[in-house]
Amino acid sequence: MLVLALDTASAAVTAGVLRLPPVDAPEVLAERVTVSPRAHGELLMPSVCSALAGAEVSMGELDVVVCGAGPGPFTGLRVGMVTAAALGDALSIPVYPVCSLDAIAYRAGAGSPLLVISDARRRQVYWARYDESGARVEGPHLDRPGDLPVTSVSRIAGVADVLELPVVPRVVPPGHPDPAGLLAVVAAAVRAHTPPGPLTPMYLARPDAREPGPRKRVTSV
Amino acid sequence: MTGTIGTGTTGIVLGIESSCDETGVGVVQVSSGGTLTLLADEIASSVDEHARFGGVVPEVAARAHLQAMVPTVRRALSRAGVRPAEVDAVAVTAGPGLAGALLIGLAAAKAYAAAWNIPLYGVNHLTAHVAVDTLEHGPLPAAVALLVSGGHSSLLQVSSLVTPLYPLGATVDDAAGEAFDKVARVLGLGFPGGPFIDRTAQEGDPDSVRFPRGLSGPGDARYDFSFSGLKTAVARHVEAQQRHGITVPVADVAAAFQEAVVDVLTTKAIRAATDRGIDTLLIGGGVAANSRLRAVAAHRCAAAGVHLRVPRPRLCTDNGAMVAALGAHLLAAGVPPSSLDIPADPGLPITTSLVGSSSSTTNRC
Ligand SMILES: [Zn+2]
């Protein structure tokens, strides 16, 4: 099967084309990763096209789209989600959403407790905690860096430079989700043709909007 | 695909609009004679989600666009009876509008265009408001266009739909539709204010109060608008009555306010046409659905010998048909499409009708 994997939940704009054999590990045919937090809308589609060209795969040959569903800063996250949804619709192929933090955790590997974090801006982070088997045991959540359970893990993956922590565990790669990690999370479901879950972004926060109070008078009473 | 890019093309255009709170998808067919046919015009609106906030909340709008985008495209294609392989181009609003909202439509449009290997046209929302009229009234001669909505109030000169529009004037403060929203709030009417004021004003006396006409003095800018002073005058008037224990005659105040807005809009628009020797006035945007504006414009245009064109109300408010219509004109004229890396531009100037037009290969996947 030929898979397009994309993610815009972090500062990186990620697109990759992979071959998923029936049994063996997925093979990355081409990937394009650009770190540019404010240009997801401009970069994503050209990155997808460039990855397809690099893999010598045409749009019509794709069997599946895998898409990071966050959590991530809203505007960038939505670019990837709507692109994946539209490509899936246009090509009549299924789109599998993946927790972007799980994709990072998969690439960081199992073996010891792991914290995966991602920059949520406004001095907040998205995070999830994984046990030594690699299973997610907590999160994803949105918190201030000071509230992270850093003492309960031995490793931390994701972008670590936004943190001001009293104790920083060993920082391990990767810093962003990559195509291999994204596909790995759902490879079994894709192989089994399990129908994908709903393509819903993980915002973890309500829109920043307040209902107006009573109208202010323009004349002084 | 029928026809050939560069020599004038016929075909079917899918249009996507997401600059504010409406997710709109339209399908328009352009035939060899250049005649446009509207095949579908589907809308998903998040307006009800904004009502309790008294205005459009950008993040709420963007979330709704993401949910609605693909289902609305599907609905439009099925309503049009068009298979994906029959679509010849995708047009989309690239600006102006809310940044996060624009991005949803633009990203979706790029994906459809790339997946189907057809041209993308990233267009100006205001030019699309002008283009939509050709769906109803046919080819557009040189015209003055008055575009009025919650987001814009502009007077423009239009020579053709595939060349830049020339700005004559604009609001210096609030958009016309914004003034309707704010006055509706003062009067305790609902959001969005336009339809509520229009309905309430039917029962009122437009001459009960004479509210100020902004920028209408002899030395003021001939084609610019100002609605902020009017809005404040209405609030002062209402508050004075409340202070004296008088029951506010809501219908009269609504009618008098609406009369002031309509008076200024029609006076300046017709003045622009006669000043420039142009005999056609086109009115578009959500406020063009206002019944009093349509009536006064018809009356005054007839008196001035100006031919008036106003699309039916459904086409005046934001929709995908207007974007598809503009895309169809661009396709028919053989204009090179946009590249796939164009940005959403919240402040896209009116002088740019088409973003990132390029005959290079970067416009295909
Ligand atoms: Zn509009």
Side-chain angles (χ1 to χ4, degrees):
Chain A
M1 275 198 268
L2 289 168
V3 180
L4 173 69
L6 55 91
D7 185 283
T8 56
S10 72
V13 177
T14 296
V17 178
L18 307 94
R19 185 188 310 281
L20 180 66
V23 183
D24 297 334
E27 176 195 356
V28 179
L29 302 179
E31 64 183 329
R32 303 288 181 265
V33 179
T34 313
V35 176
S36 178
R38 308 262 167 214
H40 290 22
E42 285 101 307
L43 291 171
L44 181 59
M45 210 55 228
S47 298
V48 167
C49 296
S50 171
L52 285 165
E56 295 182 5
V57 168
S58 73
M59 279 275 186
E61 292 176 285
L62 291 172
D63 298 297
V64 168
V65 178
V66 173
C67 172
F74 310 150
T75 302
L77 172 62
R78 279 189 287 263
V79 169
M81 303 279 308
V82 79
T83 299
L87 286 174
D89 183 45
L91 300 169
S92 296
I93 57 177
V95 181
Y96 287 83
V98 172
C99 170
S100 300
L101 301 179
D102 288 358
I104 295 174
Y106 189 93
R107 294 290 275 166
S112 61
L114 171 74
L115 188 67
V116 175
I117 62 159
S118 159
D119 186 359
R121 304 200 182 134
R122 301 191 200 179
R123 303 182 62 77
Q124 289 192 297
V125 289
Y126 304 109
W127 65 274
R129 191 165 62 83
Y130 300 80
D131 66 15
E132 53 283 344
S133 76
R136 169 148 47 94
V137 289
E138 204 179 356
H141 294 307
L142 174 64
D143 281 301
R144 270 185 275 278
D147 298 330
L148 292 175
V150 282
T151 52
S152 62
V153 298
S154 54
R155 298 175 300 149
I156 188 163
V159 182
D161 56 2
V162 296
L163 292 182
E164 294 159 19
L165 299 174
V167 186
V168 179
R170 187 162 58 92
V171 174
V172 297
H176 306 287
D178 66 3
L182 290 161
L183 175 55
V185 177
V186 284
V190 170
R191 280 193 178 109
H193 301 283
T194 310
L199 202 55
T200 312
M202 294 186 206
Y203 290 125
L204 306 188
R206 289 172 168 284
D208 218 356
R210 225 174 288 151
E211 289 182 41
R215 195 183 63 82
K216 273 198 256 116
R217 303 176 68 88
V218 299
T219 45
S220 48
V221 183
Chain B
M1 195 187 306
T2 43
T4 317
I5 300 288
T7 59
T9 305
T10 62
I12 291 173
V13 179
L14 180 80
I16 297 178
E17 153 63 31
S18 71
S19 67
C20 193
D21 60 341
E22 321 275 8
T23 310
V25 181
V27 181
V28 166
Q29 179 161 37
V30 55
S31 64
S32 54
T35 308
L36 268 50
T37 310
L38 179 61
L39 302 180
D41 177 20
E42 292 294 313
I43 292 264
S45 177
S46 62
V47 64
D48 295 342
E49 296 175 55
H50 305 284
R52 67 196 172 100
F53 300 110
V56 173
V57 181
E59 177 62 21
V60 172
R63 289 185 182 197
H65 283 306
L66 174 59
Q67 279 190 305
M69 186 54 66
V70 167
T72 310
V73 169
R74 273 193 199 156
R75 259 200 344 265
L77 288 176
S78 111
R79 181 65 58 91
V82 165
R83 285 177 294 109
E86 295 173 305
V87 180
D88 296 295
V90 180
V92 61
T93 300
L98 302 169
L102 288 167
L103 264 174
I104 305 294
L106 190 56
K110 288 178 181 181
Y112 280 107
W116 292 336
N117 193 28
I118 56 177
L120 171 80
Y121 291 103
V123 303
N124 190 305
H125 177 86
L126 295 178
T127 315
H129 267 306
V130 175
V132 75
D133 184 67
T134 61
L135 289 174
E136 193 165 339
H137 299 119
L140 183 68
V144 165
L146 170 68
L147 298 182
V148 273
S149 76
H152 19 272
S153 307
S154 307
L155 261 182
L156 308 161
Q157 188 168 335
V158 186
S159 47
S160 96
L161 290 167
V162 296
T163 52
L165 306 193
Y166 179 76
L168 299 172
T171 181
V172 298
D173 40 56
D174 295 347
E178 218 178 327
F180 275 91
D181 290 341
K182 288 174 176 171
V183 166
R185 192 146 181 255
V186 167
L187 294 175
L189 304 171
F191 173 86
F196 285 98
I197 299 250
D198 194 351
R199 212 174 309 136
T200 308
Q202 317 261 337
E203 316 290 320
D205 174 8
D207 300 321
S208 58
V209 199
R210 185 172 167 89
F211 287 122
R213 272 65 169 157
L215 292 184
S216 293
D220 290 332
R222 283 178 77 74
Y223 309 134
D224 285 341
F225 305 107
S226 167
F227 299 109
S228 173
L230 169 61
K231 167 197 76 188
T232 308
V234 174
R236 278 183 201 283
H237 178 78
V238 168
E239 287 167 20
Q241 290 183 316
Q242 287 168 335
R243 206 163 45 238
H244 294 107
I246 302 166
T247 307
V248 177
V250 172
D252 285 346
V253 175
F257 157 75
Q258 180 174 271
E259 201 64 14
V261 174
V262 166
D263 185 19
V264 174
L265 290 176
T266 52
T267 300
K268 296 208 170 201
I270 293 168
R271 177 191 292 164
T274 46
D275 281 358
R276 308 198 147 238
I278 294 169
D279 67 357
T280 300
L281 171 64
L282 185 156
I283 307 183
V287 176
N290 181 276
S291 65
R292 186 66 185 154
L293 176 60
R294 297 170 89 97
V296 172
H299 182 73
R300 291 186 175 175
C301 279
V306 171
H307 180 58
L308 177 66
R309 293 168 61 130
V310 195
R312 58 182 177 268
R314 179 68 171 75
L315 295 181
C316 286
T317 47
D318 291 350
N319 60 71
M322 66 193 225
V323 180
L326 179 51
H329 285 287
L330 294 165
L331 182 72
V335 176
S338 304
S339 67
L340 288 171
D341 63 356
I342 58 168
D345 186 348
L348 185 65
I350 186 56
T351 45
T352 304
S353 284
L354 174 62
V355 178
S357 174
S358 141
S359 48
S360 82
T361 51
T362 59
N363 55 31
R364 289 299 177 92
C365 193

